[in-house]
Amino acid sequence: MAKLNIVLYEPEIPSNTGNIGRTCVATGTRLHLIEPLGFRLNEKSIKRAGMDYWDDLDVTRYIDYQDFLEKNPGAKIYMASTKAPQTYTEVQYEEDAYIMFGKESGGIPEEILLENQETAIRIPMMNDIRSLNLSNSVAIVLYEALRQHNFDHMQLGGHLTKYEWK
């Protein structure tokens, strides 16, 4: 069973982190937060965006990037960045892959990207667009990784409340 990991490097906007937390709960994905955070985790905007799912979130905090690396030795980390040389669909995500996204104002530092060049990935977009919203980017890449694993632990069919599908 795929147990993917989303890593947020120094996130700054609480509503993005709340939305990402909700996506992680909905997909059975772990969330890793690398400090410093641009907000407090008890802020209303996180709870509002994550709704009542935040208490069900598998989340771990780290004091910095080095702490994250030390506590996750050998982790294969895909670095999502607008500066990356390959697209997010060109890689094969392992069942326990870590997918890192940088802070909203600056992304992942270039020295970290250089150290992880072979796993640096990007979402294609028009040349004159700086970047997509962080929570949208996480959803796009995460669902590709889940698709590659056939959504193996997720409900694939929906149900109507008043009717039945024909």
Side-chain angles (χ1 to χ4, degrees):
M1 178 168 94
K3 187 67 173 177
L4 298 167
N5 299 272
I6 293 297
V7 182
L8 301 183
Y9 178 89
E10 300 180 4
E12 299 167 318
I13 301 174
S15 59
N16 280 338
T17 301
N19 287 331
I20 292 163
R22 183 175 180 168
T23 299
C24 287
V25 171
T27 59
T29 302
R30 296 181 192 107
L31 180 61
H32 303 263
L33 301 174
I34 298 175
E35 296 186 10
L37 308 180
F39 50 85
R40 292 185 318 273
L41 283 178
N42 61 357
E43 286 188 21
K44 284 184 184 178
S45 52
I46 282 190
K47 301 270 186 197
R48 188 177 314 120
M51 298 189 61
D52 52 347
Y53 300 103
W54 193 260
D55 292 335
D56 298 324
L57 179 62
D58 182 354
V59 61
T60 305
R61 291 171 66 177
Y62 304 89
I63 58 171
D64 57 24
Y65 180 64
Q66 192 59 41
D67 183 38
F68 168 77
L69 292 176
E70 288 170 5
K71 291 179 178 165
N72 297 283
K76 178 116 182 220
I77 308 167
Y78 294 90
M79 303 284 173
S81 171
T82 58
K83 301 169 184 169
Q86 62 187 335
T87 68
Y88 72 101
T89 58
E90 294 179 271
V91 299
Q92 196 63 37
Y93 300 95
E94 294 77 13
E95 287 189 351
D96 61 346
Y98 288 73
I99 308 167
M100 182 180 288
F101 296 81
K103 60 183 167 183
E104 291 91 338
S105 66
I108 298 171
E110 288 189 0
E111 58 271 13
I112 294 175
L113 291 174
L114 277 176
E115 292 170 2
N116 297 278
Q117 183 173 329
E118 68 283 350
T119 58
I121 56 171
R122 72 183 320 271
I123 299 169
M125 56 192 129
M126 303 302 289
N127 287 337
D128 57 344
I129 299 298
R130 189 177 74 244
S131 66
L132 293 171
N133 173 274
L134 180 60
S135 61
N136 292 338
S137 297
V138 168
I140 290 168
V141 178
L142 175 58
Y143 268 86
E144 169 60 17
L146 290 165
R147 184 197 65 78
Q148 289 182 11
H149 293 280
N150 300 311
F151 305 104
D152 66 357
H153 64 284
M154 302 175 77
Q155 178 181 332
L156 298 179
H159 306 282
L160 299 173
T161 55
K162 295 181 182 179
Y163 304 96
E164 290 193 33
W165 294 110
K166 294 181 183 183

